[in-house]
Amino acid sequence: MNPARFALNRRTFLAILTLLLIGGGLLAFEHLGRLEDPTFTIKTALVITPYPGATPLEVEEEITEKVEEAIKSMGQVKEIYSTSQEGISFVYVEMKDAFNKRELPQIWDELRRKVADIQATLPPGAGPSQVNDDFGDVYGVFFALTGDNYTLAQLKDQAEYLKKELLLCKDVAKIDFWGIQQQVLYIEFEPSKLAGLGISPDLIYQTLHLQNVVESSGKVDVNTEYMRISPTGEFKSETMIADLLIGGAGSMVRLGDIATITRGYWEPPRNMMRYNGRPCIGIGVSTVDGGNVITMGDSVREKLHELEARQPPGMALNTIYYQSRVVTESVNAFLINLAEAVVIVVVLLMIFMGWQSGMLIGIILLLTILGTFMGMLLMGIDLQKISLGALILALGMLVDNAIVVTDGILVRVTRGESRESAAVQVVRENQWPLLGATFVAILAFAAIGYAPGNVGEFCRSLFQVMALSLLLSWLFAVTITPLFCVWFLKTPESQAMKDPYGSRIFRIYRRMLHLALRWRYLTLVVVSLLMLLSIIGFGSIPSAFFPDSTQRYFYVNFWKSQGTHINHTADDLAKIEQFVRQMDGVKNITTFAGEGALRFLLSYDYQIPNPSYGQLLVEVDDYLQINGLVKQVNAYLAANFPDAEPYARKIVSGPPVTFQVEARFRGPDIKVLQDLADQAGKIMEQTPNTRDVRTDWRQQVRVIRPEFSQSQARRSGVTRSEFSSALKWQFTGVVAGLYREGDELIPIITRPPEKQRNSVGDLDNVQIYSHANRLFIPINQVITGVKTVWEWPLIGHRDQQRAVTVQCNPARGLAAPLRLAMAQKIEALDLPPGYSLEWAGEFEASNDAREPLGKIFPLCVLGMFVIVVGLFNSVRTPLVIFLTVPLSIMGIAAGLLIMDLPFGFMAILGFLGLSGMLIKNAIVLIEQVEIFLKEDYPPYKAILDSSVSRMRPVIMASGTTILGMLPLVFDPMFATMAVTIMGGLFVATFLTLIVVPLLYCLFYRIKSEKRYL
């Protein structure tokens, strides 16, 4: 069936469908979801197991190894990595890329069962383990609640109120807080007072607990009414706690007379947060699965506007990150790029094909885009950087089919043929070659569409939009395009019956092609030399993973020496904050101390709780200022915090990489691993352009070890448990009960007065209560001395093996050249049997992303080859076509070198797509040769005539693609992809017009004949 004949016979039907397409496309555009970047599923869960009082080594051997062993039995597990530290185990479980978002809930349930099964085997005092499968939740709206002259407790009350209200907003999934300080009641007393009164600490603890415990008091039948009995006596205020009587019936004392009762916050805090220097509470709002970020953001904004009148004076809800606003700005900027690209393509077509043909093809292009919007809505594809970038990338290819059809009809009409006949014949000759070429172009991008893993998921909409739009472009090229040509394409009478290829440009090309075919071997030598030079030049192009984002934020990551108190970390962060706030262009600064923030971006790299860690999130006026600001901040950090491990960096697009260069050693013995890590660290430090050298085990920390004497303790009637409890009470405090205040449970903590717990010198004053003897025993009676020893605070595992990772960043430039500069020396280290070295960081992440492409792309190439074989029923012709693909390396190398860009992951995707474009161009050219040969043209004349007739469609298709991608050159995300395609297509197009005919002549042994010139 001929689609053009159908369209011409059903003109009214096609006209109505076109109008519906326009209306449907506009409606679809309005209803499409909007995101800044595409989402990808974080297939990682975190298993947290507390083991209070245990050393990192004990946590590793008694907790982490058991959890890892239980999880390893799951067939869905891709990788397990863990950190064992004092009193707690963190085990990360990453699932295989083959499992999708819908399958993960069932996998997490199985993970919970596996972890639950081992709880009985954990040592006393350990657990229970918690499985956090919400590790990847994104809080796209992130606020900082501040208040002058308000306590953190009052801020928390307001935050709870806002949470209840905002949960009513459309598409809000959940709301979490960050920086909440746990209120506590401190009861401080001196052991000497208790000893004088004959009161044991346990008596105080027991009295506090029993006085405020919630217990059933029964019910009674009263005149048919079954009434509940609820006695009074529970604590209603701190005063009631102070009035509590301690002691026996014969001698009782008021608690407030022997202890000081104060309200405060848990010390030390787990984390601390400031916004522009003021203490605050973070409020994160996440979107429901499948919800609309814009809708949620607008709903939250409206609700907050309603609540403004009820907000306490002096309190402010400051915006740290508002995804809907960022998304709107990003999508609007990309839509402008899309509009600019469309205008560029249409203007180019009008200049080189005439205003009628240019306008006609431009209308077809707009219809294709509108149809693509409809398809995206049906397929659930949002408007975001990758999907909109795919549309811009596809623009040149979307007009390819329409150009071939329009140009063919124009040539036939110019020769005097009727428009209807020309339309039917052109479509009949080209519909299948164009469809095959379209499938070839689609298959070129299929590798990323079907690649498993985060990167494949991140870039999947690129393939989906390309496939959808290219198929629509072919459909419209063989239906609406011939109809519009019949209706609107007019040929001036002055051009009728003229040779359409008689102009000077066609004659020059014909002569050049004849010379190249006549001196074919010389031409091959020249092309081969150019290829060799390009390959040499390509070797000097560095590789990279994903580029930096255009977000108006940057991070300052800060690690003090491991074991630093969080208050000291917060003090240093305040100094950095003060310096950064004075810099021009800085808008807002949010400071996080103690752990990473809520995941407000999908690419955010969360850091587990660590009192020596802190981070500044800096918002600027313009992202173009960030490079300069980062340099200034890094210089300040290096000069003022030489004992810390700080660095500032931009937000990255795609999956996060904390340190760009990493060498990971695995093996059983800690000393050997640390020796290898030290050697690698020294090599890194000696390598030029290196900074931020460290290991993920950090530094050793000092531990105070009172030497408990079992014999002395037994004589004194003191157990090791009593000994440990006394030490904890002396310096940290002991939870003695709970105080209920509304819906909040406030811990009651007993401890000595501040003057007795501030210094390690107070260790000598520790009094241990002996339950056996019912009196306080000085610590010196149960210890032989006090030592200070060193231990590793963090013990890392990778797939059940101990692993130390040596990390660094480049001081400037890219990570790949830095890794290569040190690789030979590090790989030359003498590894004992049982030890291994692997490169991690950006190198590992990039390889993980490329590996699926390497497995899938050969299948795509095979599919393309089969399609071309099917089109021409030949093997030699496909070989001619596929040999043109390497020609693109010349343009790719030149483009990247000129623009000083790396060959990153997006450039790889660009090369895959470029191969499809070149094959498509070659198919269009050779198909015309086949048509002329079937019409009994002499072979050499068929080659010359076909090349000349296809010169304009090929150049126009490439030209529209190249110029249409100009807006992407200025986008960091797509710059390498755009330059790869533009450079490769520019050079390869002109070479294709020479090399394809040349190879065809060589493969089919066609001699040049001057008479056909």
Side-chain angles (χ1 to χ4, degrees):
M1 179 181 176
N2 190 316
R5 190 181 300 279
F6 173 82
L8 294 176
N9 290 338
R10 299 289 189 274
R11 301 186 187 197
T12 305
F13 176 66
L14 261 292
I16 295 297
L17 285 182
T18 302
L19 292 175
L20 290 174
L21 176 65
I22 294 171
L26 293 174
L27 285 174
F29 175 75
E30 290 296 323
H31 290 86
L32 278 171
R34 284 162 168 77
L35 294 171
E36 183 191 13
D37 293 311
T39 60
F40 57 88
T41 305
I42 296 179
K43 302 181 179 71
T44 304
L46 176 60
V47 182
I48 304 172
T49 308
Y51 190 10
T55 67
L57 199 60
E58 289 170 339
V59 171
E60 177 203 29
E61 295 173 344
E62 300 176 33
I63 304 294
T64 302
E65 290 180 356
K66 290 183 179 180
V67 174
E68 289 176 338
E69 185 178 351
I71 295 172
K72 189 65 176 177
S73 63
M74 294 177 61
Q76 304 95 326
V77 172
K78 175 184 178 182
E79 187 176 36
I80 302 172
Y81 50 99
S82 64
T83 300
S84 302
Q85 60 186 60
E86 172 212 342
I88 195 164
S89 163
F90 296 95
V91 179
Y92 295 84
V93 188
E94 187 174 338
M95 297 303 167
K96 292 177 181 176
D97 296 330
F99 299 101
N100 58 42
K101 189 176 184 179
R102 294 184 298 275
E103 296 171 306
L104 283 178
Q106 185 175 350
I107 295 174
W108 299 143
D109 287 342
E110 183 179 347
L111 174 64
R112 283 190 176 87
R113 290 195 297 271
K114 292 288 185 183
V115 172
D117 289 344
I118 64 163
Q119 295 305 296
T121 68
L122 299 181
S129 301
Q130 297 177 342
V131 178
N132 179 11
D133 60 0
D134 295 335
F135 186 65
D137 283 0
V138 177
Y139 298 86
V141 175
F142 197 11
F143 296 118
L145 180 63
T146 59
D148 297 330
N149 302 319
Y150 288 96
T151 66
L152 286 172
Q154 291 170 320
L155 290 178
K156 184 192 175 192
D157 291 340
Q158 177 66 10
E160 293 285 1
Y161 166 71
L162 290 173
K163 178 178 179 178
K164 292 178 181 177
E165 294 292 331
L166 295 180
L167 281 172
L168 302 175
C169 295
K170 186 177 181 180
D171 284 351
V172 169
K174 67 177 182 178
I175 297 175
D176 279 337
F177 300 139
W178 202 99
I180 292 287
Q181 301 301 311
Q182 174 64 57
Q183 282 195 87
V184 296
L185 289 180
Y186 286 112
I187 300 178
E188 298 179 350
F189 55 81
E190 297 182 15
S192 57
K193 280 189 178 182
L194 298 188
L197 296 170
I199 297 174
S200 71
D202 282 354
L203 181 60
I204 296 177
Y205 304 158
Q206 185 178 19
T207 306
L208 285 169
H209 172 71
L210 294 177
Q211 183 71 20
N212 209 41
V213 69
V214 175
E215 288 185 331
S216 172
S217 300
K219 292 185 177 183
V220 63
D221 187 1
V222 181
N223 296 329
T224 72
E225 186 177 356
Y226 198 44
M227 299 179 66
R228 181 172 62 86
I229 301 172
S230 180
T232 62
E234 69 273 11
F235 297 138
K236 296 291 186 181
S237 65
E238 289 110 298
T239 303
M240 290 187 67
I241 298 176
D243 291 337
L244 185 66
L245 296 177
I246 306 295
S251 175
M252 289 193 295
V253 62
R254 182 175 169 271
L255 181 60
D257 294 336
I258 60 172
T260 302
I261 302 171
T262 58
R263 184 185 287 255
Y265 299 100
W266 194 285
E267 297 176 1
R270 168 174 164 157
N271 51 44
M272 303 167 69
M273 182 175 176
R274 288 193 298 268
Y275 182 80
N276 289 334
R278 293 181 294 171
C280 66
I281 290 176
I283 304 175
V285 186
S286 67
T287 311
V288 295
D289 191 20
N292 189 306
V293 172
I294 304 294
T295 301
M296 187 272 277
D298 292 342
S299 179
V300 169
R301 190 180 293 110
E302 291 171 7
K303 175 63 72 172
L304 290 175
H305 182 70
E306 293 175 12
L307 298 175
E308 278 183 1
R310 285 177 270 177
Q311 183 167 290
M315 279 194 189
L317 193 64
N318 308 278
T319 301
I320 300 174
Y321 186 82
Y322 213 92
Q323 190 179 34
S324 62
R325 182 194 68 196
V326 175
V327 166
T328 301
E329 293 175 359
S330 176
V331 170
N332 288 344
F334 251 82
L335 287 173
I336 292 172
N337 288 345
L338 178 62
E340 291 173 348
V342 170
V343 171
I344 290 171
V345 169
V346 173
V347 169
L348 185 69
L349 290 169
M350 292 173 66
I351 291 173
F352 290 98
M353 294 191 69
W355 72 270
Q356 288 186 22
S357 300
M359 284 296 296
L360 190 149
I361 297 173
I363 292 170
I364 299 298
L365 175 60
L366 292 175
L367 290 176
T368 304
I369 293 173
L370 291 173
T372 302
F373 286 150
M374 291 178 65
M376 289 171 64
L377 184 64
L378 294 173
M379 297 170 65
I381 302 172
D382 298 317
L383 286 177
Q384 25 82 357
K385 272 187 178 180
I386 299 296
S387 60
L388 284 170
L391 267 179
I392 299 173
L393 175 64
L395 282 182
M397 290 186 281
L398 296 184
V399 297
D400 283 3
N401 295 327
I403 287 174
V404 171
V405 172
T406 303
D407 185 69
I409 295 173
L410 183 64
V411 169
R412 285 178 176 270
V413 171
T414 303
R415 288 173 174 169
E417 195 171 337
S418 69
R419 288 194 293 272
E420 288 82 356
S421 174
V424 171
Q425 290 303 315
V426 168
V427 170
R428 182 182 63 79
E429 292 175 354
N430 292 284
Q431 58 178 327
W432 300 120
L434 289 179
L435 180 61
T438 299
F439 274 116
V440 165
I442 291 172
L443 281 173
F445 289 96
I448 189 59
Y450 292 100
N454 290 341
V455 176
E457 193 174 350
F458 184 80
C459 298
R460 187 155 298 148
S461 59
L462 179 73
F463 163 72
Q464 293 170 330
V465 173
M466 291 290 290
L468 178 61
S469 58
L470 286 172
L471 285 173
L472 287 175
S473 75
W474 174 83
L475 180 63
F476 295 162
V478 296
T479 53
I480 299 177
T481 301
L483 179 61
F484 280 15
C485 285
V486 170
W487 277 349
F488 305 115
L489 191 61
K490 308 293 182 184
T491 304
E493 293 185 7
S494 59
Q495 294 185 15
M497 303 302 292
K498 282 189 175 182
D499 182 4
Y501 306 117
S503 63
R504 185 177 180 185
I505 186 69
F506 289 110
R507 294 198 304 270
I508 292 173
Y509 167 61
R510 193 180 185 97
R511 290 194 189 96
M512 288 179 60
L513 178 59
H514 170 70
L515 287 174
L517 296 180
R518 181 180 177 186
W519 302 98
R520 59 190 65 181
Y521 295 108
L522 178 61
T523 305
L524 279 179
V525 170
V526 172
V527 171
S528 300
L529 288 174
L530 290 174
M531 278 287 298
L532 182 61
L533 290 174
S534 300
I535 292 170
I536 295 172
F538 197 84
S540 63
I541 298 174
S543 62
F545 189 33
F546 271 93
D548 292 327
S549 172
T550 56
Q551 292 267 14
R552 291 184 287 110
Y553 298 84
F554 70 89
Y555 302 123
V556 180
N557 287 314
F558 184 82
W559 286 270
K560 280 187 74 68
S561 297
Q562 191 67 23
T564 301
H565 194 284
I566 189 172
N567 290 340
H568 300 305
T569 304
D571 291 342
D572 281 357
L573 289 171
K575 296 175 185 176
I576 301 170
E577 182 183 320
Q578 185 176 4
F579 171 79
V580 176
R581 197 183 307 128
Q582 297 171 354
M583 300 171 68
D584 291 335
V586 172
K587 191 174 180 181
N588 295 301
I589 303 173
T590 310
T591 305
F592 308 95
E595 67 176 306
L598 292 175
R599 190 186 296 275
F600 63 95
L601 286 172
L602 193 59
S603 61
Y604 182 75
D605 186 24
Y606 169 77
Q607 296 293 317
I608 61 175
N610 185 340
S612 64
Y613 172 75
Q615 184 182 71
L616 269 65
L617 176 65
V618 184
E619 182 182 3
V620 301
D621 295 321
D622 187 348
Y623 86 93
L624 295 174
Q625 300 173 299
I626 292 179
N627 285 334
L629 293 173
V630 165
K631 288 180 181 178
Q632 294 180 55
V633 172
N634 279 329
Y636 169 79
L637 294 172
N640 292 274
F641 301 95
D643 60 334
E645 296 170 352
Y647 72 88
R649 69 168 300 176
K650 298 170 72 174
I651 292 176
V652 297
S653 301
V657 177
T658 308
F659 286 86
Q660 293 172 273
V661 179
E662 294 183 333
R664 183 182 300 131
F665 295 95
R666 301 195 198 198
D669 187 80
I670 292 179
K671 290 183 179 179
V672 176
L673 284 175
Q674 289 301 331
D675 180 59
L676 291 170
D678 288 343
Q679 294 180 60
K682 290 176 183 177
I683 293 172
M684 287 183 176
E685 289 172 349
Q686 294 167 4
T687 304
N689 193 38
T690 303
R691 54 165 298 159
D692 309 324
V693 179
R694 51 164 273 172
T695 74
D696 62 345
W697 287 31
R698 305 296 313 285
Q699 309 88 4
Q700 283 188 298
V701 297
R702 292 190 299 170
V703 179
I704 300 170
R705 293 187 66 88
E707 297 185 308
F708 181 71
S709 171
Q710 191 171 10
S711 58
Q712 291 178 218
R714 288 179 70 84
R715 284 193 293 269
S716 301
V718 174
T719 66
R720 189 174 184 275
S721 175
E722 291 169 337
F723 175 64
S724 298
S725 296
L727 290 170
K728 183 178 181 182
W729 180 83
Q730 180 74 32
F731 295 101
T732 306
V734 174
V735 177
L738 292 172
Y739 168 58
R740 290 174 176 82
E741 190 172 68
D743 62 349
E744 187 173 2
L745 299 178
I746 300 176
I748 300 173
I749 297 178
T750 66
R751 63 183 184 181
E754 185 176 2
K755 62 182 180 180
Q756 296 183 14
R757 55 183 162 83
N758 267 349
S759 169
V760 70
D762 295 321
L763 187 64
D764 293 335
N765 301 323
V766 173
Q767 299 288 316
I768 306 166
Y769 186 79
S770 168
H771 290 83
N773 297 327
R774 299 195 176 189
L775 52 81
F776 286 94
I777 305 295
I779 190 173
N780 291 327
Q781 291 188 19
V782 297
I783 63 173
T784 59
V786 179
K787 289 185 177 179
T788 301
V789 299
W790 294 89
E791 75 175 9
W792 289 104
L794 306 172
I795 300 177
H797 275 203
R798 209 87 185 180
D799 290 328
Q800 299 179 275
Q801 286 183 295
R802 283 176 176 160
V804 177
T805 304
V806 191
Q807 305 163 318
C808 68
N809 286 315
R812 58 191 174 278
L814 300 170
L818 177 61
R819 190 192 71 83
L820 291 173
M822 63 181 68
Q824 186 174 358
K825 291 182 179 180
I826 292 179
E827 290 171 359
L829 292 176
D830 184 22
L831 300 180
Y835 293 81
S836 63
L837 163 67
E838 59 192 34
W839 289 100
E842 186 178 286
F843 177 80
E844 181 181 52
S846 182
N847 283 348
D848 287 346
R850 294 176 184 181
E851 185 180 357
L853 295 182
K855 293 178 179 178
I856 297 173
F857 189 63
L859 297 175
C860 298
V861 172
L862 179 62
M864 289 188 278
F865 189 80
V866 170
I867 289 173
V868 179
V869 170
L871 285 175
F872 296 103
N873 194 29
S874 167
V875 173
R876 282 187 291 179
T877 301
L879 288 176
V880 170
I881 292 172
F882 276 80
L883 284 173
T884 62
V885 174
L887 300 177
S888 62
I889 293 177
M890 303 181 202
I892 294 171
L896 293 176
L897 286 171
I898 292 171
M899 298 296 292
D900 192 25
L901 291 172
F903 189 71
F905 185 78
M906 296 303 288
I908 293 174
L909 298 188
F911 176 74
L912 299 184
L914 176 62
S915 63
M917 298 177 198
L918 296 178
I919 292 171
K920 186 177 181 182
N921 284 343
I923 289 174
V924 169
L925 194 156
I926 292 182
E927 176 61 25
Q928 191 61 48
V929 175
E930 298 287 326
I931 291 172
F932 284 157
L933 289 175
K934 290 178 182 177
E935 295 176 0
D936 295 327
Y937 273 57
Y940 192 68
K941 186 177 187 305
I943 290 173
L944 291 178
D945 287 357
S946 299
S947 301
V948 170
S949 68
R950 290 308 189 200
M951 185 187 80
R952 180 164 60 184
V954 168
I955 291 178
M956 288 304 303
S958 299
T960 53
T961 301
I962 292 169
L963 294 180
M965 294 191 71
L966 272 178
L968 292 183
V969 174
F970 306 100
D971 186 275
M973 181 71 178
F974 286 95
T976 57
M977 175 188 279
V979 170
T980 296
I981 292 176
M982 292 170 71
L985 199 56
F986 179 79
V987 173
T989 295
F990 291 101
L991 288 175
T992 297
L993 291 171
I994 300 294
V995 175
V996 170
L998 188 152
L999 292 175
Y1000 195 90
C1001 286
L1002 285 173
F1003 273 66
Y1004 287 93
R1005 298 178 182 179
I1006 299 173
K1007 295 180 179 180
S1008 60
E1009 299 181 55
K1010 190 175 181 179
R1011 58 184 174 140
Y1012 295 119
L1013 183 59

